[in-house]
Amino acid sequence: MARRRGLRRLAILLLVLVLAAGGIYSAVFFVQRSETLVSERCTAVVGDRRAELAPDQAGFASLITAVAVQRGLPPRAASIALATAMQESKLRNIAHGDNAGPDSRGLFQQRPSQGWGTEAQIMDPYYAVNAFYDALVKVPGYESLDITDAAQRVQRSAYPTAYAKHEDLGRSFASGLTGQAAAAVQCTLRSADGDGDPAAVLAELGRAYGSLAATDDGGSVVVEAEGAAAWSVAQWAVANAKGLDVVRVDVAGRSWDREDGSWQESPSAGGQVRITMAQASGA
C-alpha cells in the first residue's frame, strides 16, 4: 500500500509539472509574440553577403552613404567609410576616445589635435562624414585599394588591419544604400512611437542628399527620382524608419511596410519614392 501511495504521489507530481510546463510555454509563447520583445534590426542582403545593424547604426550608415551619393563618389567610397566607422565607433556618434587617442570623437574617432576640426564640429555627423571623404579623395587610387588599406591611409590607426573584418558589412550596406542593389536593405521594427513629421523627413533628406525634388504630400514625402537614385532614397528611408516614424516606403513597383518588415511587390508608381509616416489616424 505504501508503495502504491508513493507511485500515486509521483504520478500526481509529474502531472503538475507537465501542466506547469505547459503554462510556462504558453506564457513564453505569448510574450514572444508581444511586440515589446520584437528584435529590432536592419539587414542588407546582396548576393551571398548578409550584414546586420541595429536601427541607430543603420541610420548613421545611411547618412554616410547618402553623403557619398551627394558628392558623386563611387559606392566604393561608401564601403570604405562604412567599414572605417564600424571599426572606429561601431557606427555610433560617441563622445569619448580610447587609449590610442583620448581626444578622439564621433563616428570616425577623429581628433582635434590632428587637425580634424573642433570637438563640436567632429561631433556633428554631417561634418565628420564630409571630413572623412575630404581626406579619402586625396588618397591616390583609393577606389582600387583594399578597403583596409584605403581606410588606414586616412585614419593612420594603431591597428591597420582591423578594418578588413568589416569589409562585407561595408560592401553590403553600401550596395543597398547607394541604390546599386534594389530592395537589399530592410528593417524589422516595432510600431511607430508617435506621429511622423514630413518637415523633419524633408530636412534630413536635404542634409543627407543635398537638393532633391521632394514635396510634402500630407502625411507622406514624395521624392522625384528613378533608377539607383530612387532606390538609394527609398532604402535611406527604411534605414531611418525608426527615428522618423516611417511606416511605408513605395518605389518602382515595390513597397516596404513596417508591419511586415520586408520588400514586397506593389502597384507603386515609377519615377518617384513615396515615404509615408505614422499618423494619429492609425496609419
Side-chain angles (χ1 to χ4, degrees), residues 202-227:
L202 287 167
E204 290 301 316
L205 277 169
R207 294 189 75 187
Y209 288 96
S211 179
L212 286 176
T215 56
D216 179 350
D217 192 32
S220 296
V221 167
V222 176
V223 181
E224 303 298 328
E226 56 186 357

mmCIF file of all heavy atoms in Angstrom, residues 202-227:
data_model
loop_
_atom_site.group_PDB
_atom_site.id
_atom_site.type_symbol
_atom_site.label_atom_id
_atom_site.label_comp_id
_atom_site.label_asym_id
_atom_site.label_seq_id
_atom_site.Cartn_x
_atom_site.Cartn_y
_atom_site.Cartn_z
ATOM 1 N N LEU A 202 11.886 65.841 -44.713
ATOM 2 C CA LEU A 202 12.423 66.703 -45.764
ATOM 3 C C LEU A 202 13.750 67.328 -45.342
ATOM 4 O O LEU A 202 14.695 67.413 -46.139
ATOM 5 C CB LEU A 202 11.414 67.795 -46.112
ATOM 6 C CG LEU A 202 10.187 67.344 -46.914
ATOM 7 C CD1 LEU A 202 9.123 68.437 -46.921
ATOM 8 C CD2 LEU A 202 10.584 66.973 -48.344
ATOM 9 N N ALA A 203 13.846 67.733 -44.077
ATOM 10 C CA ALA A 203 15.077 68.351 -43.587
ATOM 11 C C ALA A 203 16.227 67.351 -43.585
ATOM 12 O O ALA A 203 17.348 67.670 -44.014
ATOM 13 C CB ALA A 203 14.858 68.911 -42.183
ATOM 14 N N GLU A 204 15.967 66.139 -43.113
ATOM 15 C CA GLU A 204 17.015 65.118 -43.070
ATOM 16 C C GLU A 204 17.430 64.679 -44.473
ATOM 17 O O GLU A 204 18.610 64.454 -44.740
ATOM 18 C CB GLU A 204 16.550 63.922 -42.244
ATOM 19 C CG GLU A 204 16.427 64.195 -40.756
ATOM 20 C CD GLU A 204 17.742 64.646 -40.142
ATOM 21 O OE1 GLU A 204 18.798 64.059 -40.449
ATOM 22 O OE2 GLU A 204 17.722 65.602 -39.354
ATOM 23 N N LEU A 205 16.464 64.572 -45.374
ATOM 24 C CA LEU A 205 16.790 64.248 -46.766
ATOM 25 C C LEU A 205 17.688 65.317 -47.378
ATOM 26 O O LEU A 205 18.661 65.011 -48.075
ATOM 27 C CB LEU A 205 15.507 64.119 -47.593
ATOM 28 C CG LEU A 205 14.776 62.783 -47.546
ATOM 29 C CD1 LEU A 205 13.401 62.916 -48.203
ATOM 30 C CD2 LEU A 205 15.586 61.690 -48.243
ATOM 31 N N GLY A 206 17.353 66.563 -47.101
ATOM 32 C CA GLY A 206 18.141 67.653 -47.653
ATOM 33 C C GLY A 206 19.564 67.665 -47.142
ATOM 34 O O GLY A 206 20.505 67.906 -47.906
ATOM 35 N N ARG A 207 19.733 67.408 -45.870
ATOM 36 C CA ARG A 207 21.087 67.383 -45.300
ATOM 37 C C ARG A 207 21.886 66.205 -45.846
ATOM 38 O O ARG A 207 23.082 66.312 -46.091
ATOM 39 C CB ARG A 207 21.031 67.307 -43.777
ATOM 40 C CG ARG A 207 20.450 68.543 -43.107
ATOM 41 C CD ARG A 207 20.623 68.490 -41.607
ATOM 42 N NE ARG A 207 22.005 68.760 -41.221
ATOM 43 C CZ ARG A 207 22.471 68.657 -39.981
ATOM 44 N NH1 ARG A 207 21.658 68.274 -39.009
ATOM 45 N NH2 ARG A 207 23.728 68.923 -39.702
ATOM 46 N N ALA A 208 21.208 65.070 -46.040
ATOM 47 C CA ALA A 208 21.912 63.872 -46.492
ATOM 48 C C ALA A 208 22.245 63.920 -47.977
ATOM 49 O O ALA A 208 23.358 63.582 -48.394
ATOM 50 C CB ALA A 208 21.067 62.635 -46.186
ATOM 51 N N TYR A 209 21.277 64.328 -48.798
ATOM 52 C CA TYR A 209 21.446 64.256 -50.252
ATOM 53 C C TYR A 209 21.655 65.607 -50.924
ATOM 54 O O TYR A 209 21.946 65.653 -52.123
ATOM 55 C CB TYR A 209 20.217 63.593 -50.882
ATOM 56 C CG TYR A 209 20.113 62.113 -50.623
ATOM 57 C CD1 TYR A 209 19.340 61.621 -49.580
ATOM 58 C CD2 TYR A 209 20.788 61.190 -51.422
ATOM 59 C CE1 TYR A 209 19.231 60.263 -49.339
ATOM 60 C CE2 TYR A 209 20.694 59.831 -51.193
ATOM 61 C CZ TYR A 209 19.908 59.369 -50.148
ATOM 62 O OH TYR A 209 19.807 58.015 -49.911
ATOM 63 N N GLY A 210 21.453 66.707 -50.203
ATOM 64 C CA GLY A 210 21.514 68.000 -50.860
ATOM 65 C C GLY A 210 20.179 68.307 -51.518
ATOM 66 O O GLY A 210 19.121 67.887 -51.044
ATOM 67 N N SER A 211 20.219 68.998 -52.604
ATOM 68 C CA SER A 211 18.990 69.408 -53.295
ATOM 69 C C SER A 211 18.276 68.212 -53.906
ATOM 70 O O SER A 211 18.849 67.458 -54.692
ATOM 71 C CB SER A 211 19.331 70.420 -54.393
ATOM 72 O OG SER A 211 18.176 70.812 -55.087
ATOM 73 N N LEU A 212 17.006 68.024 -53.528
ATOM 74 C CA LEU A 212 16.165 66.963 -54.072
ATOM 75 C C LEU A 212 14.821 67.556 -54.473
ATOM 76 O O LEU A 212 14.348 68.511 -53.861
ATOM 77 C CB LEU A 212 15.921 65.860 -53.031
ATOM 78 C CG LEU A 212 17.055 64.894 -52.699
ATOM 79 C CD1 LEU A 212 16.617 63.969 -51.571
ATOM 80 C CD2 LEU A 212 17.458 64.070 -53.910
ATOM 81 N N ALA A 213 14.202 66.959 -55.481
ATOM 82 C CA ALA A 213 12.840 67.349 -55.853
ATOM 83 C C ALA A 213 11.888 66.595 -54.937
ATOM 84 O O ALA A 213 11.356 65.540 -55.275
ATOM 85 C CB ALA A 213 12.576 67.016 -57.317
ATOM 86 N N ALA A 214 11.673 67.133 -53.743
ATOM 87 C CA ALA A 214 10.875 66.456 -52.719
ATOM 88 C C ALA A 214 9.795 67.391 -52.205
ATOM 89 O O ALA A 214 10.031 68.586 -52.011
ATOM 90 C CB ALA A 214 11.768 66.004 -51.566
ATOM 91 N N THR A 215 8.614 66.830 -51.958
ATOM 92 C CA THR A 215 7.478 67.637 -51.501
ATOM 93 C C THR A 215 6.718 66.922 -50.386
ATOM 94 O O THR A 215 6.737 65.691 -50.288
ATOM 95 C CB THR A 215 6.495 67.920 -52.655
ATOM 96 O OG1 THR A 215 6.064 66.674 -53.224
ATOM 97 C CG2 THR A 215 7.144 68.767 -53.725
ATOM 98 N N ASP A 216 6.042 67.716 -49.576
ATOM 99 C CA ASP A 216 5.154 67.212 -48.529
ATOM 100 C C ASP A 216 3.785 66.964 -49.162
ATOM 101 O O ASP A 216 3.150 67.889 -49.668
ATOM 102 C CB ASP A 216 5.060 68.252 -47.408
ATOM 103 C CG ASP A 216 4.142 67.825 -46.268
ATOM 104 O OD1 ASP A 216 3.419 66.819 -46.411
ATOM 105 O OD2 ASP A 216 4.144 68.531 -45.243
ATOM 106 N N ASP A 217 3.348 65.717 -49.124
ATOM 107 C CA ASP A 217 2.072 65.358 -49.741
ATOM 108 C C ASP A 217 1.037 64.982 -48.676
ATOM 109 O O ASP A 217 0.239 64.073 -48.873
ATOM 110 C CB ASP A 217 2.276 64.209 -50.737
ATOM 111 C CG ASP A 217 1.054 63.976 -51.620
ATOM 112 O OD1 ASP A 217 0.347 64.956 -51.926
ATOM 113 O OD2 ASP A 217 0.793 62.803 -51.980
ATOM 114 N N GLY A 218 1.075 65.645 -47.538
ATOM 115 C CA GLY A 218 0.091 65.392 -46.488
ATOM 116 C C GLY A 218 0.240 64.037 -45.843
ATOM 117 O O GLY A 218 -0.501 63.107 -46.142
ATOM 118 N N GLY A 219 1.187 63.886 -44.955
ATOM 119 C CA GLY A 219 1.434 62.600 -44.300
ATOM 120 C C GLY A 219 2.472 61.762 -45.004
ATOM 121 O O GLY A 219 2.933 60.755 -44.475
ATOM 122 N N SER A 220 2.840 62.166 -46.209
ATOM 123 C CA SER A 220 3.874 61.475 -46.979
ATOM 124 C C SER A 220 4.824 62.496 -47.576
ATOM 125 O O SER A 220 4.459 63.654 -47.801
ATOM 126 C CB SER A 220 3.273 60.632 -48.111
ATOM 127 O OG SER A 220 2.457 59.593 -47.624
ATOM 128 N N VAL A 221 6.042 62.048 -47.827
ATOM 129 C CA VAL A 221 7.002 62.845 -48.584
ATOM 130 C C VAL A 221 7.221 62.144 -49.910
ATOM 131 O O VAL A 221 7.468 60.930 -49.945
ATOM 132 C CB VAL A 221 8.331 62.993 -47.825
ATOM 133 C CG1 VAL A 221 9.425 63.533 -48.737
ATOM 134 C CG2 VAL A 221 8.161 63.901 -46.614
ATOM 135 N N VAL A 222 7.096 62.892 -50.996
ATOM 136 C CA VAL A 222 7.284 62.330 -52.329
ATOM 137 C C VAL A 222 8.561 62.907 -52.930
ATOM 138 O O VAL A 222 8.722 64.133 -53.002
ATOM 139 C CB VAL A 222 6.081 62.626 -53.246
ATOM 140 C CG1 VAL A 222 6.350 62.098 -54.665
ATOM 141 C CG2 VAL A 222 4.814 61.997 -52.675
ATOM 142 N N VAL A 223 9.455 62.020 -53.344
ATOM 143 C CA VAL A 223 10.720 62.416 -53.956
ATOM 144 C C VAL A 223 10.710 61.982 -55.409
ATOM 145 O O VAL A 223 10.483 60.805 -55.708
ATOM 146 C CB VAL A 223 11.919 61.773 -53.228
ATOM 147 C CG1 VAL A 223 13.231 62.228 -53.870
ATOM 148 C CG2 VAL A 223 11.898 62.110 -51.739
ATOM 149 N N GLU A 224 10.936 62.922 -56.317
ATOM 150 C CA GLU A 224 11.004 62.593 -57.738
ATOM 151 C C GLU A 224 12.388 62.028 -58.041
ATOM 152 O O GLU A 224 13.392 62.733 -57.958
ATOM 153 C CB GLU A 224 10.740 63.841 -58.588
ATOM 154 C CG GLU A 224 9.406 64.524 -58.311
ATOM 155 C CD GLU A 224 8.215 63.616 -58.613
ATOM 156 O OE1 GLU A 224 8.311 62.779 -59.533
ATOM 157 O OE2 GLU A 224 7.190 63.755 -57.910
ATOM 158 N N ALA A 225 12.453 60.754 -58.356
ATOM 159 C CA ALA A 225 13.734 60.094 -58.638
ATOM 160 C C ALA A 225 13.464 58.765 -59.318
ATOM 161 O O ALA A 225 12.372 58.207 -59.220
ATOM 162 C CB ALA A 225 14.524 59.865 -57.343
ATOM 163 N N GLU A 226 14.452 58.250 -59.978
ATOM 164 C CA GLU A 226 14.313 56.945 -60.614
ATOM 165 C C GLU A 226 15.651 56.226 -60.617
ATOM 166 O O GLU A 226 16.693 56.812 -60.326
ATOM 167 C CB GLU A 226 13.766 57.088 -62.035
ATOM 168 C CG GLU A 226 14.570 57.987 -62.946
ATOM 169 C CD GLU A 226 13.881 58.194 -64.291
ATOM 170 O OE1 GLU A 226 12.819 57.582 -64.496
ATOM 171 O OE2 GLU A 226 14.412 58.953 -65.117
ATOM 172 N N GLY A 227 15.616 54.956 -60.955
ATOM 173 C CA GLY A 227 16.833 54.160 -61.021
ATOM 174 C C GLY A 227 17.527 54.044 -59.675
ATOM 175 O O GLY A 227 16.895 53.962 -58.621
#
